[in-house]
Amino acid sequence: MQDTKLAIVIPCFNEAQMLPVSLQKLWNILHKLIDEKYIGPESFVFLVDDGSLDNTWDIIKKAYENSEFKVKAIRFSRNFGNQSAIIAGLENAYNLEADAAITIDADLQQDENKIVEFVKAYDEGYDIVCGIRKNRTDGLFKKTCANLFYKVINFLGVNIKPNHSEFRLVSRRTLEILSQYKETNLFIRGLFYDLGLKTKDVYFEVKEREFGKSKFSFFSLLALAARGIVSFSVRPLRIVFFLGFGISFVSVLLAIACIVRLIFHLNYLPGLELFETWETFATGMEILCIGIIGEYIGQILTEVKARPRYITDEELK
């Protein structure tokens, strides 16, 4: 609709090389949508500088001062992470009375031309339009881990599409619901599929980065995966319970075997060698179970502290 106020939210961390290119491409798309009367002229780009260490903020300020662009932005006091930057952008889009918001990475590996398709789906009445990757440009190891993550998280009861990305459109109704979620460790990738709102998937081809490299390390992705599982599923705790029961049962069998050997003075009991390796395995499983429980306790501790998701150092509105 021609009066739709659209916000394009871009989290940025050390994107000084790519950001000027990205802004120009996105602004061209916004102009096209405005000219074709899909969105209103009050639409804008909202940038979140996630504590960048390069001159990303200087570039954002220049774009803000340039009358060609309609840019609004905030800068974090330090790096709070991609999820916090996205949440901050969506919260600010809601406060600035946007009718819909689109999140997209600053490197534009996601196909920015699909924004047109997102907006058309919004006009058709969809509250959420999710970008789904058709392909991945990651290395074999990272790609394998990502595929394994989606299989595991779906097995654990989290409703999330494989190869889902942070490239999506959400309506104002969705932003209003999001504002009611106050938890610190909010896994938004899983949240939007869990709301039950009218949702459409749009598939896109992932592009190679033009500048720089991905800011997501293996360990940061692992932490994100752990957050997603703990935030939406208690099934790992149930697995720990049954695993503990199984280990206890086998330990009882081992104890019985040892008693039989002592009573009958047996130097050899078939299968006892296998049981003698059980202690090492059981110890490893116990440490794993403690780690899983510890992850849940850690999340509880973070939520109880109720510290802010991010701290804004500077605003450009």
Side-chain angles (χ1 to χ4, degrees), residues 253-296:
L253 293 180
L254 173 60
I256 293 172
C258 291
I259 292 170
V260 169
R261 184 170 67 172
L262 288 173
I263 292 175
F264 294 99
H265 303 288
L266 298 175
N267 294 323
Y268 175 75
L269 189 65
L272 190 58
E273 293 85 351
L274 178 63
F275 286 132
E276 288 173 346
T277 66
W278 178 253
E279 184 176 357
T280 302
F281 173 76
T283 301
M285 287 295 99
E286 287 168 4
I287 293 172
L288 174 63
C289 291
I290 291 171
I292 292 172
I293 296 170
E295 186 66 32
Y296 279 91

Side-chain angles (χ1 to χ4, degrees), residues 221-237:
L221 291 172
L222 191 63
L224 181 63
R227 176 191 289 191
I229 292 170
V230 172
S231 296
F232 282 90
S233 177
V234 295
R235 193 170 292 180
L237 293 176

Side-chain angles (χ1 to χ4, degrees), residues 82-205:
N82 178 263
Q83 294 285 288
S84 294
I86 292 173
I87 291 169
L90 293 175
E91 286 178 343
N92 278 274
Y94 177 69
N95 293 334
L96 291 166
E97 299 182 342
D99 297 305
I102 292 175
T103 54
I104 187 170
D105 292 342
D107 57 23
L108 291 192
Q109 283 192 272
Q110 298 144 334
D111 186 0
E112 70 277 4
N113 294 306
K114 291 292 182 179
I115 289 175
V116 177
E117 194 171 334
F118 281 17
V119 172
K120 289 180 179 178
Y122 168 76
D123 284 345
E124 292 170 5
Y126 289 96
D127 285 299
I128 302 171
V129 186
C130 296
I132 309 292
R133 302 180 186 92
K134 285 184 180 178
N135 63 313
R136 301 187 69 98
T137 58
D138 310 314
L140 179 61
F141 177 73
K142 197 172 178 181
K143 190 183 299 184
T144 302
C145 289
N147 291 333
L148 180 62
F149 163 72
Y150 285 111
K151 283 183 171 55
V152 170
I153 202 166
N154 277 282
F155 169 74
L156 294 175
V158 183
N159 180 28
I160 182 171
K161 286 284 184 72
N163 293 319
H164 180 37
S165 70
E166 302 297 0
F167 183 32
R168 70 176 69 82
L169 177 147
V170 292
S171 67
R172 182 162 185 81
R173 180 188 178 196
T174 310
L175 291 173
E176 185 176 3
I177 294 172
L178 178 65
S179 68
Q180 300 172 30
Y181 283 75
K182 302 301 182 182
E183 63 220 65
T184 302
N185 297 298
L186 188 59
F187 182 63
I188 55 178
R189 192 176 299 190
L191 170 67
F192 289 120
Y193 274 110
D194 197 50
L195 297 180
L197 300 179
K198 191 175 181 181
T199 303
K200 181 177 182 179
D201 295 330
V202 173
Y203 292 83
F204 67 93
E205 297 281 349

